[in-house]
Amino acid sequence: MLDDYVAAYNSFRANSGFTPQEQEVVFLSIAYVNNCTYCMAAHSFVGDNMTHVPVEVTDAIRSNSDIPDVKLKALSLFAKSVTMNRGLPTETDIENFLSAGYTQNHILAVISGVGVKTMSNYFNHIFNTPIDDAFKGRVWEKN
Amino acid sequence: MSTIKMINLEPKTIETADAISSEILKTTQNKLGLIPNMYAGMAC
């Protein structure tokens, strides 16, 4: 499974067409919906230290509050809708996403992101992966 | 949320993983300076 996951993850990172910050927003938003405590901690850490997501954006996703950036907010809402609705966002969800400046290719990329995170979120649910020491500063539980 | 705690998964290391997983773990260690527990768990 590691080979499958890493191939899909690296491909998303390299080819999704999203900036590193947007990629993290996609991963965090999906992990939020799936209630994956491991991925929320890990991607909060990556956002803080590697992909340089503004901490107020990460914290807004973690607390399910308004993201203080119009475009990232639209991205997060769309990724959450695709995840929550099992790939069936409403027409309004799609219109809102495209109106924010994203393209149809970005819709494909969000689907890829959901694929990547479905692997990790489900793995962590079933095997209850212990959170690494490096990520413990960003331990998360859904409110 | 309930989790399936009865499944005991033995995390793999660069030494104990199969060839494909071992190579990925090695690359990850070199790149990040650590192997996330999830990667060790996903390895075969």
Side-chain angles (χ1 to χ4, degrees):
Chain A
M1 179 180 185
L2 182 62
D3 186 36
D4 294 339
Y5 176 74
V6 168
Y9 179 86
N10 288 343
S11 174
F12 180 85
R13 286 293 194 190
N15 305 319
S16 65
F18 288 126
T19 66
Q21 293 78 28
E22 288 172 327
Q23 293 166 20
E24 227 58 66
V25 166
V26 170
F27 285 156
L28 282 162
S29 301
I30 296 164
Y32 179 89
V33 171
N34 287 333
N35 199 19
C36 181
T37 54
Y38 183 92
C39 282
M40 287 300 288
H43 285 289
S44 296
F45 171 85
V46 173
D48 291 345
N49 297 287
M50 296 174 185
T51 51
H52 310 296
V53 179
V55 72
E56 58 270 24
V57 170
T58 302
D59 286 350
I61 298 169
R62 289 166 59 93
S63 62
N64 198 30
S65 51
D66 260 1
I67 295 174
D69 178 298
V70 174
K71 200 169 176 195
L72 292 179
K73 179 180 174 181
L75 175 59
S76 178
L77 288 174
F78 185 69
K80 285 163 88 170
S81 173
V82 172
T83 309
M84 218 173 327
N85 296 305
R86 302 182 184 201
L88 282 171
T90 65
E91 282 185 27
T92 306
D93 291 333
I94 293 171
E95 282 165 17
N96 289 343
F97 183 60
L98 297 176
S99 298
Y102 292 106
T103 67
Q104 289 191 0
N105 281 348
H106 289 118
I107 295 177
L108 305 184
V110 168
I111 296 170
S112 295
V114 172
V116 173
K117 283 297 99 182
T118 297
M119 282 194 260
S120 56
N121 293 173
Y122 287 14
F123 173 86
N124 292 321
H125 287 166
I126 292 174
F127 292 105
N128 201 27
T129 312
I131 293 177
D132 303 75
D133 288 343
F135 310 150
K136 281 192 175 156
R138 281 302 221 161
V139 165
W140 173 86
E141 271 186 34
K142 195 175 266 188
N143 292 327
Chain B
M1 170 180 282
S2 62
T3 50
I4 304 170
K5 294 184 191 307
M6 70 284 279
I7 295 181
N8 185 21
L9 186 69
E10 189 63 38
K12 298 290 194 303
T13 65
I14 292 169
E15 290 74 28
T16 61
D18 68 14
I20 293 171
S21 293
S22 179
E23 200 52 45
I24 295 169
L25 294 178
K26 213 180 291 176
T27 304
T28 305
Q29 174 72 55
N30 291 338
K31 195 172 157 192
L32 299 180
L34 64 95
I35 295 171
N37 291 334
M38 188 182 81
Y39 280 38
M42 284 179 171
C44 297

